[in-house]
Amino acid sequence: MATTSNFAKSLLQAEHLLTTIQDELLKEASAVSVLEALLSQHEALLKHLCSGTDSLSNSQVEDLKKHLQAMQVVVTECEKGKDDVSLKLGSIKRSEKIKKAYGI
């Protein structure tokens, strides 16, 4: 089982990475490669947290649940952003079709 201090340290790093990922997603022009690197680091930390452990203490399980909830918030925001982009793209495409139809 991972020691409490190592677990807490790794979870704190994962939380920091999640915050960094969220900040990067809020940028107008975030680089895909940067996001991929951050997500990969986050995944590695989570795997490290859960590897080699037969069981986690109740407090560690609760801490992981809180982190998973924070991850869900980021995923929900991404889905919302995707929907917003889809709506804007659809509006642009309709506008282009109207311009072509009227020769503008």
Side-chain angles (χ1 to χ4, degrees), residues 80-98:
K80 182 182 173 211
K82 178 183 171 241
D83 291 343
D84 290 345
V85 168
S86 293
L87 288 173
K88 288 178 185 175
L89 184 58
S91 176
I92 290 170
K93 286 182 178 180
R94 284 189 299 278
S95 174
E96 288 174 353
K97 286 181 180 179
I98 291 170

Side-chain angles (χ1 to χ4, degrees), residues 14-63:
E15 289 170 355
H16 174 71
L17 275 172
L18 189 60
T19 301
T20 304
I21 291 166
Q22 197 168 20
D23 292 343
E24 191 67 29
L25 287 169
L26 293 174
K27 289 182 181 176
E28 282 294 319
S30 58
V32 173
S33 60
V34 171
L35 283 169
E36 287 175 344
L38 290 169
L39 288 168
S40 179
Q41 290 173 4
H42 185 261
E43 178 185 20
L45 272 171
L46 289 180
K47 284 181 180 179
H48 173 72
L49 280 171
C50 298
S51 69
T53 59
D54 294 332
S55 64
L56 298 171
S57 70
N58 288 339
S59 65
Q60 289 173 328
V61 169
E62 288 305 313
D63 290 342

Side-chain angles (χ1 to χ4, degrees), residues 11 14-15 18-19 22 42 46 60-77:
L11 188 59
E15 289 170 355
L18 189 60
T19 301
Q22 197 168 20
H42 185 261
L46 289 180
Q60 289 173 328
V61 169
E62 288 305 313
D63 290 342
L64 271 177
K65 284 181 182 179
K66 288 177 187 173
H67 187 71
L68 291 173
Q69 289 171 346
M71 289 172 59
Q72 184 60 48
V73 168
V74 173
V75 169
T76 301
E77 287 298 316

